[in-house]
Amino acid sequence: MKLSCIYVLNLLLNVCLATSINGKFEFSLGNLTKNAIRRTSFNLYQIGNYSTQDPYKTTTHLLDLDGNFKFDDLPINTGINETTYFVLSSSSLDYNLFPNRILIEFVQLENGTLQMNGFKNYFGREYFPSKDITHPDKLDQIAVEPYLTISVIQKAPFRAYFQIRNSGIMNDSGIVGSILNSRWKLAGVITVICVFAFPMFLDKIDPDTAIIMREEALKKKKEQYAN
Ligand SMILES: *[C@@H]1O[C@H](CO)[C@@H](O)[C@H](O)[C@H]1NC(C)=O
Ligand SMILES: *[C@@H]1O[C@H](CO)[C@@H](O)[C@H](O)[C@H]1NC(C)=O
Ligand SMILES: *[C@@H]1O[C@H](CO)[C@@H](O)[C@H](O)[C@H]1NC(C)=O
Ligand SMILES: *[C@@H]1O[C@H](CO)[C@@H](O)[C@H](O)[C@H]1NC(C)=O
Ligand SMILES: *[C@@H]1O[C@H](CO)[C@@H](O)[C@H](O)[C@H]1NC(C)=O
């Protein structure tokens, strides 16, 4: 008798205090593969005030090939006008997702209804503004019924994490190749060659001027040392 009372009470409390979030991953780039499903996850973090000992945190994965996912039994702060905040962060190894963060707000209304609101983040501004600041960003509200929608922007760009080192000097990435490929490097090399080669050319073309120039240079040097 006592046990069943506790059970019923527990059930009632759960109905009142716990709730769930439904989400759907709308995949527009063909069919979801098993690999993509396995490498896509949804993390939920409780922020702000919490009634439990530690802020709630959980991870969930896609439930089916249609992209459904769900968070159940969330701890909600009790009391009229009490709010509970969660941040839903979505990640995939294979795709860039949007919104990648969603702020979820639960408000316990006076008539007993638990209202759920969702706000998406702006790209590049991953943290949601604190209510304590004077002019916080106005958040874009998104639909939460029948589910939160996460969509795909694009396939995550493939990155090669290593590059084969090339030893041939004539190759594009070799020493000569890299100089020939860069206008500035090429200009530098030509300038250096001209500076060194000019006196020699002058010697061949106009020996008299070369002699005069050399004497001038010598004179200048002597003056320098004399000072
Ligand atoms: C996606 O899956 C459906 C049903 O399993 C199949 O008919 C369709 O050909 C698939 N499309 C691609 C692009 O693989
Ligand atoms: C947390 O609770 C305190 C006291 O009840 C309240 O002043 C504050 O605004 C709450 N913070 C949030 C984020 O709800
Ligand atoms: C809850 O919020 C509503 C609307 O802001 C307000 O009218 C009401 O007095 C609040 N109730 C409590 C108990 O704070
Ligand atoms: C409680 O109030 C909200 C907003 O005022 C309303 O949408 C909701 O239907 C109400 N719930 C009940 C059970 O009256
Ligand atoms: C230059 O090096 C790359 C990378 O090692 C190689 O794929 C390419 O065939 C080389 N090109 C020439 C012209 O040797």
Side-chain angles (χ1 to χ4, degrees), residues 2 29 181 192:
K2 212 174 173 187
L29 309 173
N181 275 343
V192 167

Side-chain angles (χ1 to χ4, degrees), residues 178-224:
S178 97
I179 288 172
L180 290 179
N181 275 343
S182 157
R183 253 189 288 170
W184 293 108
K185 283 184 196 166
L186 198 58
V189 168
I190 289 170
T191 309
V192 167
I193 289 172
C194 287
V195 165
F196 282 103
F198 181 67
M200 281 192 267
F201 278 124
L202 207 63
D203 249 347
K204 292 270 177 332
I205 296 161
D206 189 354
D208 293 338
T209 316
I211 290 166
I212 292 167
M213 270 181 76
R214 225 169 263 143
E215 277 172 358
E216 279 290 314
L218 212 63
K219 224 159 88 197
K220 273 219 178 102
K221 222 169 221 164
K222 272 185 189 153
E223 274 168 19
Q224 230 172 28

Side-chain angles (χ1 to χ4, degrees), residues 6-27:
I6 290 174
Y7 177 76
V8 168
L9 197 72
N10 207 359
L11 207 70
L12 277 175
L13 274 178
N14 271 339
V15 167
C16 297
L17 303 185
T19 187
S20 52
I21 297 171
N22 294 317
K24 188 166 174 134
F25 177 43
E26 292 208 325
F27 189 72

Side-chain angles (χ1 to χ4, degrees), residues 41-185:
S41 61
F42 304 92
N43 298 299
L44 193 71
Y45 304 93
Q46 187 169 18
I47 60 166
N49 291 335
Y50 47 90
S51 49
T52 43
Q53 199 181 355
D54 293 312
Y56 185 77
K57 167 188 178 294
T58 189
T59 298
T60 193
H61 295 268
L62 292 172
L63 297 171
D64 50 37
L65 286 168
D66 291 335
N68 290 304
F69 62 93
K70 201 169 163 55
F71 294 99
D72 278 325
D73 296 333
L74 305 174
I76 298 297
N77 300 334
T78 51
I80 289 168
N81 289 353
E82 274 296 324
T83 52
T84 313
Y85 288 103
F86 296 95
V87 171
L88 167 61
S89 137
S90 315
S91 71
S92 165
L93 206 59
D94 305 275
Y95 302 99
N96 291 337
L97 308 182
F98 185 75
N100 54 355
R101 289 195 192 184
I102 294 176
L103 177 68
I104 296 163
E105 178 188 58
F106 287 101
V107 188
Q108 187 82 57
L109 297 178
E110 276 180 301
N111 64 8
T113 306
L114 187 64
Q115 192 182 17
M116 177 178 168
N117 301 311
F119 305 91
K120 65 182 177 190
N121 72 313
Y122 295 104
F123 252 127
R125 277 186 269 171
E126 306 305 342
Y127 292 98
F128 293 101
S130 158
K131 292 215 156 130
D132 300 335
I133 57 180
T134 320
H135 300 291
D137 287 333
K138 189 157 176 4
L139 294 175
D140 284 340
Q141 193 154 6
I142 55 171
V144 295
E145 287 296 333
Y147 42 69
L148 286 166
T149 306
I150 311 282
S151 46
V152 173
I153 301 172
Q154 64 181 51
K155 204 168 179 345
F158 175 76
R159 293 179 207 277
Y161 288 101
F162 61 91
Q163 233 174 2
I164 299 165
R165 190 183 161 151
N166 170 48
S167 46
I169 61 159
M170 282 310 285
N171 199 300
D172 274 358
S173 48
I175 296 166
V176 175
S178 97
I179 288 172
L180 290 179
N181 275 343
S182 157
R183 253 189 288 170
W184 293 108
K185 283 184 196 166

